[in-house]
Amino acid sequence: MRLSRLVLLVATMAALAGCTYKGVPDPQVSARDAEWMAQIPPAQEELRYARYLIDDPTGEAPGTIIVDTKQRFLYYVLDNKKAIRYGVTVGDEAYGWSGTSRVARKAEWPDWNPPAEMKARWPHVQFTKGGPNNPLGARALYLYEGNRDTLYRIHGTNEPEKIGHAVSSGCIRMRNIDVIDLYNRVGLNTKVIVR
């Protein structure tokens, strides 16, 4: 009986050793960030879409961003075969996009000027100054293919309850605290792969 308990204990410890999810602390934010993010209603967060340090499942080079649109995760690849995994909202099937691009521009609390195609679909959308009511949220990473703007962004959201869903018009949305964390980690010309 003692031997079977010991075997069970060793098996449990081995299984837990394989769990490599570790929470990543929130980044420091400015007074403006804290004030504006406090104006966005909090959402019930699913733990699986929280920010975790994990073993890298992508095999891509350190410094690369990979978006898995089916699983609704964004990975930022680190050294030592690690990655930070974030939950995201992606484009629904009609507006989804995939491909390889680069971060050509970064902005804090950016203004939003919806593209003409979006205005044609939804005449009510209009230019919105950066702030807590802006759909781009706290930060935006602008994705380009070569020198051409794809019109797709990785950005924050004022609808955090939609993280983990396919409901956007193609952009990749993140919780504001997550997009601030990613924004602080990446530079211009960071490679982005959307699958």
Side-chain angles (χ1 to χ4, degrees):
M1 185 86 135
R2 277 181 104 182
L3 184 59
S4 64
R5 283 188 197 166
L6 181 59
V7 170
L8 180 60
L9 178 63
V10 170
T12 302
M13 289 173 58
L16 290 176
C19 295
T20 56
Y21 287 66
K22 179 182 177 187
V24 177
D26 285 345
Q28 288 193 332
V29 297
S30 69
R32 178 181 71 169
D33 287 336
E35 178 187 341
W36 284 2
M37 286 192 304
Q39 294 178 39
I40 297 167
Q44 181 78 19
E45 184 178 313
E46 281 191 56
L47 287 180
R48 75 186 209 130
Y49 294 115
R51 185 175 60 253
Y52 292 109
L53 177 66
I54 64 169
D55 291 332
D56 175 30
T58 71
E60 297 293 338
T64 305
I65 294 171
I66 298 91
V67 180
D68 181 337
T69 58
K70 287 184 176 54
Q71 297 297 315
R72 319 284 198 267
F73 291 123
L74 181 150
Y75 300 92
Y76 179 64
V77 181
L78 304 172
D79 291 326
N80 301 319
K81 298 184 179 182
K82 295 291 184 187
I84 298 177
R85 188 186 81 180
Y86 307 85
V88 295
T89 297
V90 297
D92 72 16
E93 219 170 285
Y95 307 113
W97 171 79
S98 62
T100 300
S101 59
R102 67 182 178 88
V103 175
R105 181 174 164 230
K106 295 169 54 173
E108 296 186 17
W109 295 101
D111 294 341
W112 181 53
N113 195 7
E117 308 83 54
M118 187 179 288
K119 289 178 182 176
R121 281 193 309 269
W122 300 301
H124 68 280
V125 299
Q126 60 188 336
F127 172 85
T128 307
K129 187 90 177 125
N133 296 318
N134 186 310
L136 296 182
R139 305 286 187 275
L141 305 174
Y142 295 75
L143 305 182
Y144 279 60
E145 291 176 330
N147 292 322
R148 184 183 66 79
D149 187 350
T150 65
L151 301 179
Y152 292 100
R153 316 285 183 243
I154 297 171
H155 63 81
T157 184
N158 55 14
E159 297 178 311
E161 69 278 3
K162 294 185 178 173
I163 297 298
H165 299 278
V167 295
S168 79
S169 289
C171 288
I172 295 100
R173 300 183 199 169
M174 304 174 74
R175 292 182 318 137
N176 282 315
I177 196 69
D178 287 347
V179 79
I180 290 171
D181 184 78
L182 181 65
Y183 179 98
N184 291 346
R185 293 175 188 277
V186 305
L188 293 178
N189 296 313
T190 293
K191 182 177 181 179
V192 179
I193 302 169
V194 179
R195 299 178 177 155

